[in-house]
Amino acid sequence: IMGTGAIANFAQALKTTPGAVLHAAASRSQASADAFAKKHGIARSFGSYEELAADGEVDIVYVATPHAFHRDNVLLCLGAGRHVLCEKPLAVSAAQVAECVAAARERNLFLMEGMWTRFFPVARAIRKAVAEGAIGKVVSVSASLGFKLEPSFNPRLYEPALAGGALFDVGIYPALWISMILGTPSKVTAHAHLLPSGVDQQTFATLEYEGGAMAHLECGFTGSLPNDVTIVGERSLSTSGRHCSPSLAPLLLQERRDTSGRAGRRSAPRRTRS
């Protein structure tokens, strides 16, 4: 594990993963690395990221550093021949992501962004339902994630030098859902409320797609948003509440009324819990 902040407590999950050995942890200081290793029962600890990348017994590195450093840390690991799982977002620009992907392909190494939401049973169920035409052609997707957050809770989220802001930290979740269902948009229009530091406290975006489908994304630290995803098809509606939580994400598929206002044939809503 590269980085020993709060997000690195992913170590708990690694310890219960069949076939995985949590071999080493690295921080920018030896003291932090030692404390983290002791807490999680890790054999080795390093006071620099370079030492971890150079350890020949490491197969794959989980990059758990702040957003702004992901690109450099990923390239460091790939350059040393290590596979990489990187905490989201993989990088802070499309150009940086392309650079990381190119480096992994050049060395034939595994590289993945750590978006666990993609693997939730509810996410799989929704993708399967959409792919099988359960709701008809998708015409729109709306997804949101936001809550009231004071700067004192986590100052990193308000620091431009650390790639803070709502879009990078929580907006990536609704963006993932929209991407999973509709793919790459042809046009994006976004509006944000920027703090004096330059980071976004709240962002709204409209995404347009070839064929006419549209999507709406909301994220922010200003107040509680619905925190759900709604996928509208030509025949039915699919919704998922608390879409970023693996244990609190019910799936509802519901048939819609026809254009005359008459209720069509209606099946019982299907719910599935992760």
Side-chain angles (χ1 to χ4, degrees), residues 1-265:
I1 294 183
M2 181 175 288
T4 55
I7 199 69
N9 286 311
F10 175 62
Q12 289 295 115
L14 288 176
K15 289 192 293 186
T16 63
T17 302
V21 176
L22 191 46
H23 172 73
S27 180
R28 290 174 295 178
S29 75
Q30 189 65 55
S32 294
D34 291 344
F36 186 87
K38 181 179 180 180
K39 175 182 177 181
H40 294 284
I42 302 172
R44 296 185 185 179
S45 56
F46 300 109
S48 74
Y49 299 151
E50 289 77 11
E51 290 177 274
L52 176 63
D55 187 334
E57 295 187 53
V58 171
D59 296 314
I60 182 167
V61 176
Y62 168 54
V63 174
T65 56
H67 304 158
F69 308 118
H70 286 179
R71 176 258 186 197
D72 291 347
N73 298 153
V74 167
L75 293 179
L76 171 65
C77 295
L78 293 174
R82 312 293 168 230
H83 303 290
V84 177
L85 171 65
C86 182
E87 180 57 39
K88 58 82 183 171
L90 179 58
V92 297
S93 72
Q96 288 188 2
V97 170
E99 188 177 6
C100 292
V101 171
R105 286 176 173 166
E106 179 183 353
R107 296 166 176 81
N108 195 30
L109 293 170
F110 176 86
L111 170 64
M112 188 173 79
E113 183 179 54
M115 284 297 296
W116 67 333
T117 309
R118 183 180 293 275
F119 301 97
F120 290 172
V122 68
R124 293 177 176 178
I126 288 178
R127 293 202 306 270
K128 183 174 185 290
V130 171
E132 292 176 348
I135 64 173
K137 179 183 176 182
V138 175
V139 296
S140 71
V141 178
S142 297
S144 67
L145 183 59
F147 38 81
K148 178 63 176 176
L149 184 65
E150 298 298 335
S152 58
F153 174 77
N154 189 342
R156 173 187 65 80
L157 299 177
Y158 292 85
E159 288 290 338
L162 298 177
L167 185 60
F168 280 144
D169 202 71
V170 296
I172 192 169
Y173 292 103
L176 171 70
W177 275 99
I178 292 169
S179 174
M180 284 195 299
I181 302 302
L182 289 175
T184 303
S186 57
K187 181 180 179 181
V188 178
T189 305
H191 300 275
H193 173 247
L194 302 181
L195 295 172
S197 66
V199 305
D200 65 306
Q201 189 178 33
Q202 185 176 27
T203 293
F204 285 42
T206 299
L207 298 85
E208 301 176 43
Y209 295 81
E210 297 293 341
M214 299 185 71
H216 178 68
L217 177 155
E218 296 183 40
C219 65
F221 298 145
T222 55
S224 295
L225 292 173
N227 298 337
D228 61 7
V229 56
T230 298
I231 305 162
V232 179
E234 290 180 328
R235 294 198 306 272
S236 301
L237 180 73
S238 171
T239 64
S240 174
R242 295 293 298 276
H243 56 77
C244 62
S245 171
S247 59
L248 297 170
L251 165 64
L252 172 65
L253 293 179
Q254 186 172 344
E255 200 167 342
R256 294 165 60 84
R257 292 174 177 269
D258 64 26
T259 54
S260 66
R262 298 189 305 271
R265 182 175 176 272

